[in-house]
Amino acid sequence: ATVMYRLGEGNPVVTIEFLDAAGKLIRKFASTDSVPAAAGGRGGGGGGGRGGGGAPVVTTRPGVNQYQWNLRYPDATAFQGMIFWAGGVQGPLAAPGTYTVRLSIGSERPVTQPLVVRRDPRVKATDADLVARHQLAIRVRDRVTEANDAVRRMRSVYRQLDDRTPKMAGVADFAALAKTFGDSLHATEDSVYQTKNQSGEDPLNFPVRLNNQLAALLGFVESGDRRPPPQAVEVFSALS
C-alpha cells in the first residue's frame, strides 16, 4: 500500500496510521521514529523465514514523498539471542477489506483516505477464507508473544535473584529459597524455549519447544492463500 503526500518547505513531523474497518489502529509510523530494524520474520537464525531489507522511513522532504506499508500487522515479540527453526515472529498479512489511512502533518488537522485491500484474483480462496486465515494468524501471533514475554520475564527474575542473593547473605533461608525458585523457573523456561540453542544449527540437535512450535504454525498458516485446515486449529489448541 503506497501513500503519497506533498510537503512544503520546513521539516514538519509526519505521522501515517493504518486503521481497520472498525477504526482500530493497526500500525503507526512517524518521521520521528528511530531507524527501523530490518523487516522480516526471522527470529534469530536457524531455518527461519528470511526477512527483507530495511523497513521504509517516513520522509519529510519538500515536494512529493511516499511511504509503503507491506500490509503486515505488528510482529510478535522476541528476545535477545532467540533462535528459531522454521519459524519467525513476522506479523500476519492484512485480510481483504476496507481500511483507513490517516495522515498527520505537523499541527495540521489529520486527513484520511480509504484503503481497499483486494485478494489476488488468481487464487481460488474467497475473501472469507482469507479473513479466517488472518484471524487464526493473529491468535497464533499473540500466543507467540505471550510465550516470548514469559521467557523475558523469567530472565528478568534470574537477574534480580542474582543481584539480591549476595545482598541477603544475612538471611539464612534466602539463598536456598532463591535457588529453589530459580531452578523451578529454569525448568519452566526450558519447556517454553529450547535453552540449549546457542547457534542457528542447534535446533537440529535439540527439540524445539512451545514458542518455536507456535512460530512454525504461524508460518504454516500464512504460507498459502487458503482457509486454514482444521488440523491447524487443532494444533493451535494443543500448543496453547
Side-chain angles (χ1 to χ4, degrees), residues 44-235:
R50 297 299 191 268
V57 176
V58 178
T59 55
T60 59
R61 295 184 295 269
V64 176
N65 295 256
Q66 72 173 28
Y67 183 86
Q68 290 187 321
W69 176 41
N70 63 1
L71 297 179
R72 288 198 174 274
Y73 277 57
D75 295 346
T77 59
F79 51 85
Q80 186 175 5
M82 185 179 75
I83 295 173
F84 275 176
W85 187 265
V89 296
Q90 188 176 47
L93 279 169
T98 301
Y99 300 79
T100 298
V101 184
R102 184 163 61 201
L103 174 68
S104 301
I105 299 175
S107 60
E108 297 180 18
R109 184 176 180 178
V111 293
T112 62
Q113 287 286 343
L115 166 64
V116 179
V117 176
R118 297 185 176 92
R119 72 179 186 278
D120 186 334
R122 297 170 297 178
V123 305
K124 296 180 181 179
T126 65
D127 284 358
D129 291 333
L130 300 185
V131 168
R133 179 188 70 175
H134 173 81
Q135 291 173 339
L136 179 59
I138 288 291
R139 293 174 65 197
V140 180
R141 181 210 62 181
D142 290 349
R143 207 62 168 150
V144 173
T145 287
E146 290 180 49
N148 290 344
D149 284 350
V151 171
R152 294 166 67 177
R153 284 195 301 273
M154 286 185 279
R155 292 184 175 183
S156 175
V157 172
Y158 301 152
R159 291 191 293 270
Q160 294 177 57
L161 290 174
D162 290 342
D163 174 73
R164 283 158 177 74
T165 298
K167 299 175 182 178
M168 298 290 287
V171 180
D173 295 336
F174 186 85
L177 288 170
K179 184 179 185 308
T180 299
F181 185 33
D183 290 347
S184 174
L185 282 180
H186 278 294
T188 302
E189 180 191 3
D190 191 59
S191 71
V192 177
Y193 174 67
Q194 178 51 265
T195 57
K196 294 180 181 178
N197 286 345
Q198 300 297 320
S199 71
E201 303 304 314
D202 280 344
L204 292 172
N205 301 310
F206 308 112
V208 299
R209 303 300 195 205
L210 286 171
N211 63 346
N212 195 159
Q213 294 175 49
L214 284 162
L217 176 62
L218 177 59
F220 169 76
V221 171
E222 286 264 292
S223 66
D225 294 318
R226 66 189 187 286
R227 179 180 289 270
Q231 294 92 329
V233 178
E234 292 172 4
V235 169

